[in-house]
Amino acid sequence: MKILVLGAGKMGSFFLDTLSFEHETAVYEKNPQRLRYTYNTLRFTTMEEIEQFQPELVINAVTVKYTIPAFREVLPYLPKDCIISDISSIKTGLKEFYEASGHRYVSTHPMFGPTFANLNQLSEENAIIITEGDYMGRIFFKDVYHKLGLNIYEYTFEEHDKTVAYSLSIPFVSTFVFAAVMKHQDAPGTTFKRHMKIAKGVLNEDDFLLQEVLFNPYTSGQVEKIGQELKTLLEIIDNKDADAMHNYLTKIRNNVKQDIEIKQ
């Protein structure tokens, strides 16, 4: 298959590395310096090159802020039967765009950003394939993710957004709170250093991505739950209620235990 990847960032390069030995691949990137380390793939910097390539599948791997603008730019140069796809962690507006595009489409979300995941060992990582869209496109990505050893889940656009609101907004907001109240430690403990590493990784993400995760219509309810738990914990601390603290720790340990058992 002739596959065009839009964007030669970390995820774009990852997909090129994954696909280039089984397919004829090309990458379009406006910043030529990002193309220095791509290999076994064609490197494009103009729309005319894309038009001549005649891709059968486009994987849009630009940052979430530019996902739809990148599609709008490239669509006039694609064959009518070309499948367009995205790997965006935020799907806001994509369903409506796809349905008006006139192209077959498929939308997926590899749940393993390059910040924390070991891209050489993905057996504990997940990927979501949106059930709406082209059947053959979904089969293609299911096969790719299966070969990578990923755990695959199929959700609608709405179900995906609800999942992201839970799985991203809770750790993001918890990290923001940690970063907001922390101060420099000359001799930090192990737990503090681990939290700091997570905070640096999250805050290294694109501002627009962080914004869109938090502006997800399902995020507010998740953040409210964090506030309620903090209020409960603060009351226990202020009252120095040992029994209540024991019960609270038991509850959260059971939450973690249940999550581990479900994964096993």
Side-chain angles (χ1 to χ4, degrees):
M1 180 183 289
K2 299 177 75 172
I3 300 173
L4 172 69
V5 174
L6 302 181
K10 291 181 179 178
M11 289 305 291
S13 297
F14 171 77
F15 272 90
L16 288 168
D17 291 346
T18 301
L19 299 171
S20 63
F21 288 96
E22 294 185 17
H23 302 275
E24 185 179 354
T25 60
V27 57
Y28 172 71
E29 172 59 60
K30 291 185 176 181
N31 182 357
Q33 291 188 350
R34 281 191 165 186
L35 298 174
R36 290 178 298 174
Y37 304 113
T38 56
Y39 64 94
N40 201 40
T41 193
L42 298 171
R43 295 176 283 187
F44 297 159
T45 57
T46 68
M47 290 294 127
E48 290 70 27
E49 291 171 303
I50 292 174
E51 189 172 29
Q52 293 174 11
F53 182 60
Q54 294 283 292
E56 300 167 79
L57 171 68
V58 171
I59 301 176
N60 191 334
V62 304
T63 57
V64 64
K65 182 178 182 179
Y66 299 108
T67 300
I68 291 180
F71 273 138
R72 294 192 191 283
E73 182 181 12
V74 77
L75 278 182
Y77 301 91
L78 300 179
K80 288 295 183 182
D81 59 350
C82 178
I83 301 173
I84 58 176
S85 70
D86 75 279
I87 56 170
S88 177
S89 55
I90 306 298
K91 305 297 184 185
T92 305
L94 278 170
K95 181 179 181 181
E96 295 76 12
F97 170 81
Y98 279 136
E99 291 176 346
S101 70
H103 279 265
R104 297 152 63 198
Y105 70 87
V106 57
S107 184
T108 76
H109 180 187
M111 302 279 285
F112 55 88
T115 300
F116 296 115
N118 178 0
L119 298 183
N120 295 314
Q121 179 57 44
L122 295 172
S123 60
E124 295 184 2
E125 305 295 343
N126 305 314
I128 293 174
I129 297 176
I130 303 301
T131 55
E132 295 128 306
D134 183 75
Y135 173 77
M136 294 306 298
R138 298 201 307 271
I139 292 298
F140 173 82
F141 277 97
K142 185 177 291 187
D143 180 63
V144 171
Y145 292 152
H146 177 73
K147 289 180 180 177
L148 290 171
L150 293 166
N151 302 296
I152 302 169
Y153 299 89
E154 297 187 66
Y155 296 150
T156 64
F157 277 107
E158 182 179 11
E159 290 169 338
H160 169 271
D161 288 348
K162 289 181 178 179
T163 299
V164 168
Y166 173 78
S167 64
L168 292 184
S169 66
I170 288 180
F172 278 14
V173 170
S174 300
T175 298
F176 292 170
V177 172
F178 167 79
V181 302
M182 64 149 288
K183 59 182 181 179
H184 173 71
Q185 298 289 314
D186 289 327
T190 301
T191 302
F192 185 92
K193 288 191 289 185
R194 287 181 177 176
H195 278 280
M196 177 60 76
K197 182 178 180 181
I198 292 173
K200 289 179 178 178
V202 169
L203 295 173
N204 194 45
E205 296 284 2
D206 177 73
D207 283 3
F208 188 83
L209 170 62
L210 298 174
Q211 170 186 298
E212 289 301 292
V213 168
L214 296 183
F215 289 176
N216 181 322
Y218 301 102
T219 292
S220 179
Q222 299 296 337
V223 177
E224 285 180 5
K225 292 179 181 179
I226 294 176
Q228 293 166 1
E229 290 298 323
L230 286 173
K231 181 179 179 181
T232 298
L233 187 56
L234 184 59
E235 290 176 354
I236 294 172
I237 293 170
D238 286 343
N239 294 328
K240 294 182 173 55
D241 190 333
D243 290 336
M245 178 59 76
H246 172 75
N247 292 335
Y248 190 83
L249 292 173
T250 299
K251 181 186 78 171
I252 61 177
R253 284 183 177 126
N254 285 336
N255 283 350
V256 173
K257 180 181 178 181
Q258 289 172 5
D259 183 71
I260 294 173
E261 289 175 344
I262 290 173
K263 288 182 179 179
Q264 292 176 339

